[in-house]
Amino acid sequence: MDGTDADAIRRAMAAPGALGRGELARLLSLRTAEDRAALRAAALEVRRRHTGNAVFLRGLVEIGNSCGKDCLYCGLRRSNAAVHRYAIPEADAIRMAKWSCDSGYGSVVFQSGEIQSEGNTDRIERIVRAVRADCGPDFAIVLSLGEQSRETYARWREAGADRYLLRIESSNPELYRSLHPVDHSWERRRDCLAALRELGYQLGTGVMTGLPGQTAEDLAGDVMFFREIGADMIGSGPFVPNPETPLAGAPFDPKEALETALDFVACVRLHLHDCNIAATTALQVLAPDGRERALLSGANVMMPNATDAEYRRDYQLYKGKPCLDETSGQCRACLEARVMRIGDRIAWRQPGTSPHYLARRAVGL
Ligand code: SAM
Ligand code: SF4
């Protein structure tokens, strides 16, 4: 690594927001194993300064796979007739969240395709209310249900949802447009993020790394974007081509995809310092220890699957999804061993509120 990059890493470790886009793009272009290891070690040091060696768990409930959108990369897109569509009955969704709570996970994430309907809004509202009543005030409820009206987001917040994850997918509107049909809007997604923040949600966003046509400058722009919108949580992961989508034949090198995704996690930690960063499932598709390597690159959150096994096969964004046949209990045991192996510990029963969120709320932002 030359002196310029080493100096950039030192400044990034000293204060959040220290780097410009060009400097981040250079760090995202490091190619030797030694340079990449230095970048990730610096990010790990910043992570441990803010959240110690605690790893927070969120039980992931894939509550339904019907979707009104047609994102070119995603297996759940409405044009994919090969998918068997399901919606988990309310009582079962509540049971899975309660299982997460009873198992010592500090939070649950309800994720699904995007459905904009009064019926779906009512259904989610009832589920959130029931989980809040069953699991108490300290259990965090996270939603990842796509773009919705401000009124819908407000109703779910009022029902008891604390956090919302909505990836911008790419901060570059042109790149976004190349990956979506014309009726999908980057601007609408950005406005949804603004509405979520105003409504008091802990705000989560992210991108896919390794998208076709994406450059190191684009990724640097993504890191800057997260800071500009004041994101509290980041969930980013590698793009993995799905054979049932129009991007089936996109260029893809699993080894480099993993390395890029890990460098990206490290740069997010170095630029944002006190946000929560998820070690996402897609990383595990690229390497069995992909998520642990993300923890060692600055991530501090894991999302074990808490969905009943019978539904998992139908929620495949990409092929190669891990743990399809495991029970939620097996996922829990496997995760604890993985986390301990790298010198971290699971923060059982803690909601793992983003330190960034706590800091901004303390000053009324
Ligand atoms: N429908 C909601 C939304 O789009 O925000 C939430 C569920 S969606 C399946 C969650 C995320 O999956 C998307 O934000 C996208 O980044 C990711 N995803 C979809 N297809 C993918 C693929 N082929 N490779 C990696 N990630 C993918
Ligand atoms: Fe639907 Fe989300 Fe997949 Fe897009 S990424 S097709 S909105 S489930």
Side-chain angles (χ1 to χ4, degrees):
M1 177 177 309
D2 70 17
T4 313
D5 293 332
D7 175 62
I9 291 177
R10 264 192 302 276
R11 283 187 291 115
M13 288 178 78
L19 302 185
R21 185 168 176 171
E23 290 172 308
L24 284 165
R26 279 182 61 114
L27 296 180
L28 287 159
S29 306
L30 296 173
R31 284 296 170 267
T32 70
E34 198 189 350
D35 288 353
R36 289 177 133 163
L39 175 74
R40 296 170 196 171
L44 177 61
E45 197 178 319
V46 173
R47 186 260 270 186
R48 290 227 165 111
R49 207 189 293 155
H50 286 280
T51 51
N53 67 349
V55 172
F56 299 100
L57 299 187
R58 330 234 170 275
L60 177 64
V61 179
E62 295 160 338
I63 194 167
N65 68 352
S66 295
C67 188
K69 286 279 192 69
D70 222 10
C71 309
L72 300 191
Y73 41 82
C74 178
L76 303 188
R77 63 199 303 268
R78 64 172 183 246
S79 301
N80 188 1
V83 179
H84 165 255
R85 306 284 172 174
Y86 71 83
I88 294 182
E90 276 175 48
D92 291 330
I94 295 162
R95 170 181 51 77
M96 291 174 210
K98 183 81 168 62
W99 179 88
S100 301
C101 178
D102 292 344
S103 300
Y105 299 175
S107 55
V108 68
V109 182
F110 288 115
Q111 193 180 78
S112 75
E114 185 175 302
I115 305 174
Q116 295 174 357
S117 74
E118 196 54 31
N120 186 59
T121 303
D122 291 348
R123 168 173 174 265
I124 299 294
E125 188 175 12
R126 283 191 298 271
I127 291 171
V128 171
R129 266 191 212 291
V131 174
R132 177 57 65 227
D134 276 5
C135 299
D138 296 331
F139 183 68
I141 302 175
V142 191
L143 302 180
S144 179
L145 308 170
E147 295 166 29
Q148 303 288 342
S149 66
R150 187 190 172 91
E151 189 205 352
T152 296
Y153 288 145
R155 276 177 57 187
W156 292 343
R157 174 95 181 103
E158 198 272 325
D162 310 285
R163 313 176 185 173
Y164 206 99
L165 297 171
L166 182 72
R167 287 185 179 177
I168 191 71
E169 313 296 3
S170 169
S171 64
N172 176 345
E174 285 311 313
L175 183 57
Y176 181 92
R177 275 190 263 285
S178 74
L179 301 165
H180 297 89
V182 284
D183 61 342
H184 294 35
S185 159
W186 183 89
E187 287 74 15
R188 194 164 58 227
R189 226 162 161 84
R190 179 203 52 198
D191 293 348
C192 283
L193 287 167
L196 288 162
R197 197 174 193 278
E198 280 166 25
L199 289 165
Y201 280 95
Q202 241 174 94
L203 184 66
T205 190
V207 298
M208 278 172 287
T209 58
L211 286 165
Q214 188 180 50
T215 64
E217 276 71 30
D218 288 329
L219 289 172
D222 295 338
V223 178
M224 309 272 294
F225 175 87
F226 299 158
R227 189 169 149 81
E228 275 157 28
I229 67 163
D232 303 302
M233 317 181 283
I234 304 299
S236 290
F239 159 68
V240 183
N242 182 324
E244 290 170 358
T245 66
L247 294 184
F252 183 61
D253 168 359
K255 202 168 169 299
E256 185 50 33
L258 176 65
E259 300 302 330
T260 302
L262 296 174
D263 291 344
F264 188 76
V265 165
C267 283
V268 173
R269 175 60 71 198
L270 285 169
H271 200 59
L272 274 70
H273 278 213
D274 61 354
C275 61
N276 279 339
I277 302 178
T280 52
T281 314
L283 287 158
Q284 203 186 347
V285 178
L286 302 182
D289 62 348
R291 289 181 305 175
E292 294 88 295
R293 291 183 63 190
L295 294 177
L296 292 172
S297 304
N300 68 323
V301 169
M302 279 178 143
M303 292 164 53
N305 206 319
T307 315
D308 286 358
E310 64 177 290
Y311 297 108
R312 292 190 197 176
R313 213 165 279 283
D314 292 326
Y315 198 91
Q316 292 202 60
L317 317 176
Y318 40 76
K319 294 296 157 195
K321 179 180 179 180
C323 311
L324 279 177
D325 296 318
E326 273 165 46
T327 63
S328 299
Q330 284 166 332
C331 282
R332 180 184 187 273
C334 155
L335 211 72
E336 176 147 44
R338 284 164 177 269
V339 167
M340 282 171 66
R341 221 176 288 141
I342 59 164
D344 282 329
R345 65 173 178 89
I346 291 177
W348 295 111
R349 276 169 287 284
Q350 290 180 42
T353 303
S354 163
H356 182 266
Y357 179 79
L358 293 173
R360 73 178 170 88
R361 296 302 273 191
V363 294
L365 285 172

